[in-house]
Every structure is written in structure tokens, then in C-alpha cells.
Amino acid sequence: MPAQEFNLTMVEPVHPFGPVGNGSIQGHSVRMDNNHVVSKSGEKGLIALWNTTLTADAVGASKQYLTAIDQQVDKFGTTLGSADRKFVQELARAINNRSVVHKPGSTARPQGWDPFVQVFVWIPGNLFIGPMARVDAPKGDAFDTSARFIIAADQYSKLQNADTLIRKYLTDSRKPQYAEDAYADLAFVARTYLARAPFDANQWTWDSGRNLPKIKGA
């Protein structure tokens, strides 16, 4: 049976989690958000990684990551219903076995595409819940180095390495090993860390000069 052809280019999706509300840091009420450690950016982050593998015909590099998503999506604590989670699993498998492939210029999307992209871009192991506005927030699509004070050491190390490899791959997409190794690190995080790091006010302090919070130690 011939492969089904679709447009598999990603654009930034909304996150698949419930609202995180507000928190309090040293008496200041702050609006919370889901903070990425490795950027989701279409320029230097997860979306750019995926779209570049499409352009370079190297989608196979994502096999470990898609397998981890297939295996763990039911444990990620998203607001996706069971039908959407099943679509995510089926599409991850279909892309891995190449029964679904990218066709440049196509306008058709495969069934379950939106929830698939949501999970791909917002795996909980790459997220921590914290203030939306921060003194120490990364610039643009930079890696969030302050996360080392929030998340586990091995989790941080894998994400940092993935970020470095993504940037190398985006500089030279003729070397798909960079992409494959980045996806392997992301797969480890997706399999091992099934929840977003929760907000803990004790990990934060208030910068009175900037009138914004920051992570302690950052």
C-alpha cells in the first residue's frame, strides 16, 4: 500500500494543558505560565528541528522521540481526550513506519495532526511552571539556563545537550546524526519525566529593582 502524503510542516500550537493560574512570590502575585527549557521556536527550537528534518528528508532521525511520545502520551497529564491521544499514537507510528510522509506543497493534514503537534512541542519533561514574566527569562529562543535550579540534573543535562545538537543541525542539516542525537536526548526526557516541574515559591525570589521575580541562584 503506498504511503499517504501530507503537509507535515509544523507551526506553533497552543499547549495541551489546563490553566496554571497565579502564584505568590514574597508577597507578590504573579501570573504563571509553562516555561520551555529547550525553545519551541521555529527559528532555533523544536519546531525548527522538525521542519528542517522535513526539508532535508531526514524525518527518520526522530524515530526515538516519536516512539517515546507514542508510549507515554497517556501519562503526560494533558487535557487531550482519549481519542486525540490515540490519534497522536497512531500518527507517531505512521510517520515512523513511513506510511505517512511529507509532501512539499500539499495542503492536506493527516488525522490527529493538531494534537500530535501539541504533544511534540509541549512534552512535560521540557517544561516547568513558573512566572510568565521573569528577570532571568532567556532572550528570544535561547536555552533556559536558569532551569538548572528547577529541574533534575540529568533532565537538565539531556535538554542542554539536545539544544546544542539542534543548533548544530540547523547550521548544517547535511549531518542528520546531530538531529538523531538531539531526538534521542528528547526521547529520554519524554520517557523519564512525565510531568511538568511544579511551581515552588521557595525556588524563586523577587528582584525589587526590576520589580519582577527570578529563580534563586540565577
Side-chain angles (χ1 to χ4, degrees):
M1 183 175 179
Q4 295 179 288
E5 297 177 327
F6 297 98
N7 179 357
L8 300 183
T9 304
M10 287 187 182
V11 295
E12 185 174 331
V14 298
H15 69 72
F17 301 101
V20 291
N22 294 335
S24 180
I25 298 174
Q26 296 179 344
H28 299 268
S29 179
V30 290
R31 186 178 177 188
M32 294 288 112
D33 200 4
N34 295 292
N35 290 261
H36 277 77
V37 183
V38 175
S39 169
K40 62 183 182 297
S41 157
E43 298 295 326
K44 297 292 183 180
L46 298 174
I47 295 172
L49 171 63
W50 175 262
N51 288 342
T52 303
T53 60
L54 291 182
T55 303
D57 195 25
V59 175
S62 66
K63 187 176 183 65
Q64 290 188 59
Y65 186 52
L66 297 190
T67 299
I69 286 174
D70 171 20
Q71 294 171 343
Q72 305 292 13
V73 64
D74 285 336
K75 304 173 186 175
F76 282 166
T78 68
T79 56
L80 298 174
S82 59
D84 279 339
R85 296 196 305 274
K86 186 175 181 180
F87 285 146
V88 171
Q89 293 174 313
E90 291 173 347
L91 189 50
R93 294 170 198 169
I95 293 171
N96 269 345
N97 67 29
R98 297 191 63 79
S99 60
V100 165
V101 298
H102 177 59
K103 181 180 181 181
S106 173
T107 58
R109 296 292 201 178
Q111 188 175 43
W113 178 248
D114 288 345
F116 171 79
V117 177
Q118 286 180 292
V119 173
F120 182 102
V121 175
W122 294 88
I123 57 163
N126 187 38
L127 304 171
F128 64 91
I129 298 174
M132 180 174 290
R134 301 160 39 199
V135 169
D136 59 322
K139 304 293 185 184
D141 51 22
F143 180 76
D144 196 335
T145 58
S146 296
R148 68 191 186 277
F149 300 108
I150 297 287
I151 63 177
D154 64 337
Q155 181 182 8
Y156 179 85
S157 176
K158 290 290 187 181
L159 291 172
Q160 185 180 44
N161 195 52
D163 184 77
T164 298
L165 289 164
I166 289 169
R167 292 170 191 274
K168 286 182 176 180
Y169 180 63
L170 296 178
T171 300
D172 187 358
S173 61
R174 295 170 299 175
K175 297 179 178 178
Q177 192 64 48
Y178 288 147
E180 186 172 343
D181 291 345
Y183 278 123
D185 287 329
L186 293 168
F188 170 87
V189 172
R191 290 192 306 267
T192 310
Y193 293 94
L194 304 179
R196 297 163 292 170
F199 172 69
D200 180 352
N202 293 321
Q203 295 175 320
W204 297 82
T205 188
W206 193 262
D207 186 320
S208 56
R210 298 281 296 278
N211 200 34
L212 285 172
K214 66 178 182 179
I215 297 172
K216 286 182 180 177

